[in-house]
Amino acid sequence: MKKVEDYIRTIPDFPEPGIMFRDVTSVIQDADGLALAIDELDNLLYGVDYDVIVGPESRGFIFGVPIAYKNHKPFVPVRKKGKLPCETIEVSYDLEYGSATLEIHKDAIKPGQKVVIIDDLIATGGTTQAIISLIERLGGVVVKIAFLMELAGLEGRKLLEGYDVASVVTYPGK
């Protein structure tokens, strides 16, 4: 029986020399790989009491929505600045090369709601830390963070200390 990592394509030296790029498109372009990825992420939520799933644009949407559907939970998108039509709150954060701003609808999370964050990858943890800040500003409580892949060499978990973080596949390097 295949595992999720069997569907992940590794591209050496992309986007720069020394980087082993873990390509999620090879997972989602295969029906069996996609089903397995969704099921494995969903398994990480076993026994977790939660009200809503949050996922960042765009790959958090790919994995978060089917899990929300499967468990009859709402899905809340976190998007790049200027993409959401109603009143939002935002957070800006630093990236490896520059900065980014994320937004969430101001009414998307109710105070006290238990939130699961789903995304494809944890690298440095900066994007997830920014999402957590948005959720907590709205009064939500992050009860679980689940990733399909983790690049352990970038130590993103350190930034998320104190939160329940799990990954389906962990790679030791960058």
Side-chain angles (χ1 to χ4, degrees), residues 30-166:
D30 185 288
D32 292 333
L34 178 58
L36 184 59
I38 298 300
D39 290 344
E40 290 295 319
L41 278 165
D42 190 46
N43 289 342
L44 296 178
L45 304 183
Y46 180 78
V48 177
D49 179 24
Y50 66 99
D51 302 308
V52 61
I53 292 177
V54 168
E57 184 175 358
S58 67
R59 291 175 306 272
F61 294 10
I62 292 169
F63 296 107
V65 169
I67 294 169
Y69 173 80
K70 192 173 180 180
N71 294 290
H72 198 72
K73 302 287 184 180
F75 178 82
V76 172
V78 172
R79 301 209 58 198
K80 295 172 187 165
K81 185 175 176 73
K83 300 291 185 181
L84 291 171
C86 297
E87 190 176 357
T88 62
I89 62 168
E90 68 179 47
V91 63
S92 294
Y93 64 103
D94 291 328
L95 298 167
E96 191 174 355
Y97 304 106
S99 63
T101 301
L102 294 175
E103 293 182 324
I104 190 171
H105 278 141
K106 200 172 189 179
D107 62 355
I109 304 291
K110 310 294 183 271
Q113 276 191 312
K114 294 175 281 229
V115 179
V116 167
I117 300 170
I118 303 276
D119 204 358
D120 71 320
L121 175 74
I122 177 173
T124 64
T127 300
T128 305
Q129 185 183 49
I131 294 166
I132 291 168
S133 75
L134 290 171
I135 292 165
E136 291 179 346
R137 281 172 50 199
L138 293 175
V141 179
V142 176
V143 295
K144 184 82 173 193
I145 307 168
F147 300 98
L148 184 65
M149 298 180 287
E150 178 174 353
L151 304 179
L154 294 175
E155 301 181 332
R157 279 183 187 252
K158 285 185 178 179
L159 215 52
L160 307 178
E161 256 182 61
Y163 294 94
D164 184 0
V165 177

Side-chain angles (χ1 to χ4, degrees), residues 20-32:
M20 299 297 281
F21 185 82
R22 310 301 179 171
D23 185 15
V24 74
T25 62
S26 56
V27 176
I28 62 177
Q29 288 174 342
D30 185 288
D32 292 333

